[in-house]
Amino acid sequence: MQLDKLRDREVDQLFEAILKLETVEECYHLFDDLCTVGEVQSLAQRLEVARMLREGKTYSHIETETGASTATISRVKRCLNYGADGYTLVLDRLKR
């Protein structure tokens, strides 16, 4: 399974730490310490690309709106179609 390549004690600790966060403000604090601004922006951009792909937006529209490269858009699309369903899970929950 593709998730097994990630799975170890340190990654478990990271994910458990993220699950302990209770507010968006707490997320800002942790991710400011944990990641560069560019890394957080890249993660946010990928999630937005996934949302737009699910809405049926075209690559050119997504590229214009998000600044994402076609390579990034393609990778996100591949994950939406053949990945671990993480994007689908979180985007469905955000819709509620």
Side-chain angles (χ1 to χ4, degrees):
M1 178 179 227
Q2 113 184 25
L3 295 177
D4 290 337
K5 67 183 175 193
L6 282 176
R7 208 174 293 278
D8 70 15
R9 184 193 62 76
E10 291 173 347
V11 175
D12 284 351
Q13 177 179 261
L14 171 63
F15 293 161
E16 289 291 333
I18 291 168
L19 289 170
K20 299 295 182 194
L21 299 171
E22 296 178 1
T23 66
V24 171
E25 191 64 28
E26 288 180 356
C27 289
Y28 274 103
H29 287 276
L30 176 63
F31 282 87
D32 185 51
D33 288 346
L34 195 60
C35 302
T36 67
V37 171
E39 289 167 337
V40 174
Q41 289 172 335
S42 290
L43 293 170
Q45 181 187 64
R46 289 179 194 158
L47 185 59
E48 179 62 4
V49 167
R51 185 191 67 75
M52 294 175 83
L53 283 168
R54 281 187 17 147
E55 289 181 351
K57 305 291 189 217
T58 65
Y59 273 42
S60 62
H61 179 82
I62 294 168
E63 194 174 11
T64 301
E65 289 293 313
T66 67
S69 68
T70 56
T72 296
I73 298 167
S74 294
R75 183 183 187 285
V76 171
K77 185 172 184 173
R78 189 169 44 255
C79 289
L80 279 171
N81 292 331
Y82 307 109
D85 291 329
Y87 283 123
T88 300
L89 175 73
V90 76
L91 288 170
D92 286 349
R93 289 186 182 170
L94 285 170
K95 261 185 156 177
R96 294 185 205 155

